[in-house]
Amino acid sequence: MITDFWLHPSLILIVGAFIMPFLPKWLKRPYLVIVPTLAFLDVLSMQGHHGTFGVVRFLDWYLTFGRVDGLTMVFAYIMTLMCIIGTIYGLHVEDDFQHVAAWLYVAGSLGVIFCGDYLVLFLFWELMAFASVFLVWFRRRPESLAVGYRYLLVHTAGGLALLAGLILRYKATGGDLSFGPIGVGNPSLYTYLILIGFLLNAAVPPFHAWLPDAYGEATVTGAVFMCAFTTKTAIYALARAFAGMEILVPLGVCMALYGVVYAVLENDARRLLAYHIISQVGYMVAGVGIGTELAINGACAHAFAHILYKGLLFMGCGSVLHMTGKSKFSDLGGLYKKMPKSFVFTMIGGLSISAFPLFSGFVSKSMIIAAGFEVHNYWAGFLLTLAGAGTFLHTGLKVPYFIWFGKNNCSQETWDKAADPPWNMQLGMGIAAFLCILIGCYTPYLYNMLPYQQAAAEYHPYTASHLSETIQILLFTALGFFLLIKKLAPEPKISIDLDWFYRMGGRGFYWLARKPIQWADSCVSEGYRYVGLIPLMTTARFWSWFDWHAIDGVVDGVARTVRGIGGLVRRTQSGQLQYNIFYAVSLVAVALALYVFA
């Protein structure tokens, strides 16, 4: 029974996804825009109406599908907005099931954002994993199948850790399923299991290797959706349950630096952007770990801005892949002449992620760094500032330079194919680019949605010290790039990263299964055969012989004897009455004689 009528935006997307394959072709494009727009309007209608909705009784539990507050609304707003932008970008895709998978994926993410208990969270958490893997498989390359299976296995493992944690928590708390602050001051086993489940989706090293593989191998439109939802949903979950957990600060700082290093080494544009997701999500993880109102605001603001500018960057590089079939820097170069609009949009994304003044990253990333300095966590603040310089190096400079400028490494076929993408892809990029500039220039648009309004009102990014510091870092990084440009030139190679451990671990597990475990299994099988199976079969054969020759022999022998006597008796029956009387009298006489003389 539902206590109050409340329309979940996930329901709109799920129903819309199942209806879409049955629509006529002429109606599908308008329908693709209408459904996510309805979900966005549904979220807008909830503004100012905080509370608990969609409570459903299931067995002995009350499941909460709708918890609406400030933290929920900022994530729900940007995720439904990004669903509109991503769907517009993919309007040219005629495969209905790609749209179905994308909408179910977004529905899973929104389900987590609005849930009020761990059972509902787990349901939508798994929906995210199983829907998003199809965005990898639908690229239909041999590599896509392997990458998708790995992605699914890793997320299934994370889901199992999360499930184990919530079961242990349910038992330890006497049946509490509510999804809220978990008590980071006195962590227990279930605390860490739930944390591992969230950290895996946040791609915290060493649980991050799935991200560059999957996002680099996904379809062009699929990567746009994937870069926006999984890791940011994990940030929401961490902010809801683990705000102030100190271990998240060093983990976040390591992520910020780790992603920068491997992004600089990467040759594939989309894998570079995927590594940089790890770096940028590191800022958010650190913000959650700091746990102050300003830090949580910063994590939310940066997640909001990141969804837009990272989606824009994936749309820009995806446009190059869509038009030319290439995504490696060593196969590109000089494309500004052929794809000028794509270049402009991608450059806006690069400036936004680099925290350039008047762009979105400038007003969100700095909030987390300021929160670190505010609580005197100087090492974290300085290292996050250093990671910002690396961001401008590879995403603000390396990506645009080696794709649109630099040495032209394009083959003639690639050069001939190169052109700005279809209108819908340009429109999607244009909307995201406009919002990146709007957030940077008009901060109330974003700040008025943050969960802690007083802390947001007191923070002012456009101070003289912040502007001068940022410009100095950007100029110094640009100088370093052009001085070391030959060292940063792309090379056709791959970075193993922590895949070495996965691969060696896989080989070790394969050897363990093939050698010791198989040997032990063979020993057990042979032992069972000699100790159990052979005596059992011998006994069975004996009892089969005994049954056939002894029991059946006796029974059959008696039957044959009775049958023989019956045959003899039958032959004595001639059918004439006088003979029957004679035989009867003779038999009685013999019986009397035996009785008398006995």
Side-chain angles (χ1 to χ4, degrees):
M1 168 179 184
I2 301 179
T3 57
D4 292 296
F5 175 77
W6 178 75
L7 184 59
H8 201 305
S10 293
L11 183 62
I12 297 174
L13 293 172
I14 291 171
V15 173
F18 283 108
I19 292 175
M20 182 170 52
F22 304 101
L23 295 176
K25 188 174 181 179
W26 63 269
L27 186 58
K28 285 185 177 178
R29 285 195 174 183
Y31 183 80
L32 283 170
V33 179
I34 290 172
V35 170
T37 302
L38 289 176
F40 179 65
L41 294 175
D42 184 33
V43 170
L44 288 181
S45 70
M46 300 177 197
Q47 290 187 345
H49 298 85
H50 293 180
T52 300
F53 308 94
V55 180
V56 179
R57 183 172 182 177
F58 176 72
L59 300 179
D60 294 331
W61 304 306
Y62 286 93
L63 306 183
T64 304
F65 286 85
R67 189 227 334 254
V68 181
D69 58 18
L71 186 60
T72 300
M73 288 305 299
V74 65
F75 280 90
Y77 181 98
I78 186 55
M79 287 182 174
T80 48
L81 180 58
M82 189 62 207
C83 185
I84 297 174
I85 296 171
T87 303
I88 291 173
Y89 182 80
L91 282 178
H92 62 282
V93 177
E94 296 184 357
D95 183 359
D96 291 339
F97 293 103
Q98 288 196 43
H99 298 293
V100 169
W103 283 0
L104 292 178
Y105 174 38
V106 179
S109 183
L110 289 170
V112 174
I113 299 303
F114 281 99
C115 76
D117 62 82
Y118 277 103
L119 277 183
V120 177
L121 181 144
F122 182 75
L123 170 68
F124 285 105
W125 197 264
E126 294 304 294
L127 176 61
M128 277 198 305
F130 284 89
S132 58
V133 70
F134 288 95
L135 299 176
V136 179
W137 281 339
F138 282 143
R139 194 174 178 188
R140 295 183 174 87
R141 298 201 312 166
E143 299 89 341
S144 306
L145 185 63
V147 169
Y149 274 123
R150 181 192 186 186
Y151 175 88
L152 194 58
L153 286 171
V154 171
H155 281 278
T156 301
L160 289 174
L162 177 61
L163 179 61
L166 68 91
I167 291 173
L168 292 176
R169 182 178 184 273
Y170 180 81
K171 183 178 179 180
T173 58
D176 182 16
L177 286 173
S178 61
F179 175 42
I182 203 167
V184 298
N186 188 26
S188 58
L189 177 59
Y190 69 77
T191 308
Y192 290 111
L193 286 172
I194 295 173
L195 179 63
I196 288 172
F198 292 162
L199 292 182
L200 188 143
N201 270 31
V204 177
F207 309 122
H208 71 287
W210 59 269
L211 192 150
D213 273 2
Y215 292 12
E217 187 57 37
T219 64
V220 170
T221 55
V224 173
F225 279 92
M226 294 179 78
C227 76
F229 294 97
T230 298
T231 51
K232 265 59 75 183
T233 304
I235 292 300
Y236 167 83
L238 288 171
R240 178 70 71 182
F242 291 95
M245 192 165 191
E246 293 181 357
I247 193 174
L248 295 178
V249 178
L251 287 177
V253 172
C254 289
M255 288 178 70
L257 296 171
Y258 191 93
V260 164
V261 171
Y262 276 94
V264 171
L265 298 175
E266 189 56 56
N267 181 42
D268 186 280
R270 296 204 304 171
R271 284 180 62 88
L272 181 151
L273 296 177
Y275 269 116
H276 199 256
I277 290 176
I278 298 170
S279 177
Q280 294 299 292
V281 171
Y283 285 86
M284 305 169 209
V285 171
V288 173
I290 294 169
T292 62
E293 291 187 354
L294 180 61
I296 297 299
N297 273 354
C300 295
H302 202 47
F304 191 105
H306 182 268
I307 287 173
L308 290 171
Y309 63 60
K310 185 59 70 172
L312 177 56
L313 286 165
F314 266 95
M315 285 189 278
C317 293
S319 298
V320 176
L321 177 62
H322 177 73
M323 299 304 296
T324 67
K326 304 293 183 181
S327 62
K328 294 184 178 180
F329 297 118
S330 54
D331 297 328
L332 299 169
L335 292 179
Y336 76 96
K337 299 176 182 177
K338 305 280 285 187
M339 306 179 70
K341 295 178 182 177
S342 299
F343 161 67
V344 171
F345 292 137
T346 308
M347 198 66 218
I348 292 173
L351 294 175
S352 299
I353 200 172
S354 303
F356 207 90
L358 302 180
F359 293 88
S360 57
F362 181 80
V363 302
S364 62
K365 186 185 297 185
S366 57
M367 197 180 293
I368 299 172
I369 298 173
F373 286 122
E374 185 181 65
V375 296
H376 308 293
N377 202 333
Y378 298 114
W379 68 270
F382 283 121
L383 289 177
L384 290 176
T385 302
L386 176 63
T391 299
F392 183 52
L393 176 67
H394 59 72
T395 309
L397 295 172
K398 180 178 177 178
V399 170
Y401 183 82
F402 288 113
I403 292 179
W404 280 279
F405 300 99
K407 181 182 177 182
N408 188 342
N409 296 312
C410 299
S411 65
Q412 189 60 45
E413 181 184 6
T414 301
W415 185 257
D416 292 340
K417 288 181 180 178
D420 276 319
W423 67 269
N424 62 288
M425 299 176 79
Q426 295 186 44
L427 178 60
M429 289 188 285
I431 295 172
F434 169 76
L435 290 171
C436 285
I437 297 173
L438 175 65
I439 292 171
C441 295
Y442 182 65
T443 57
Y445 170 72
L446 173 58
Y447 286 7
N448 289 342
M449 287 187 272
L450 297 179
Y452 300 106
Q453 281 296 297
Q454 184 175 352
E458 293 174 355
Y459 179 74
H460 302 286
Y462 285 100
T463 62
S465 60
H466 185 210
L467 282 168
S468 62
E469 172 191 303
T470 300
I471 292 173
Q472 288 179 64
I473 291 173
L474 295 174
L475 291 175
F476 178 78
T477 305
L479 176 62
F481 174 79
F482 287 105
L483 290 176
L484 301 173
I485 195 167
K486 292 183 179 179
K487 298 289 184 182
L488 296 172
E491 298 179 13
K493 61 181 182 180
I494 61 172
S495 299
I496 294 296
D497 190 7
L498 289 185
D499 269 4
W500 185 89
F501 294 99
Y502 283 90
R503 296 179 186 188
M504 293 300 106
R507 291 181 185 178
F509 180 79
Y510 180 64
W511 177 86
L512 187 67
R514 251 180 97 244
K515 299 294 184 181
I517 296 178
Q518 182 61 46
W519 177 82
D521 180 69
S522 300
C523 290
V524 172
S525 298
E526 288 298 307
Y528 172 74
R529 189 167 74 88
Y530 283 105
V531 176
L533 192 59
I534 292 177
L536 180 64
M537 294 302 295
T538 303
T539 304
R541 282 194 294 269
F542 167 75
W543 285 112
S544 176
W545 176 89
F546 181 79
D547 178 68
W548 178 258
H549 292 87
I551 298 175
D552 286 354
V554 171
V555 174
D556 292 346
V558 171
R560 285 192 294 269
T561 302
V562 171
R563 187 177 63 183
I565 295 172
L568 293 173
V569 173
R570 187 176 64 251
R571 285 198 293 272
T572 62
Q573 300 296 319
S574 62
Q576 297 182 5
L577 182 61
Q578 60 273 26
Y579 288 109
N580 292 339
I581 294 173
F582 172 74
Y583 292 144
V585 172
S586 299
L587 182 61
V588 171
V590 171
L592 288 173
L594 291 172
Y595 175 76
V596 171
F597 292 106

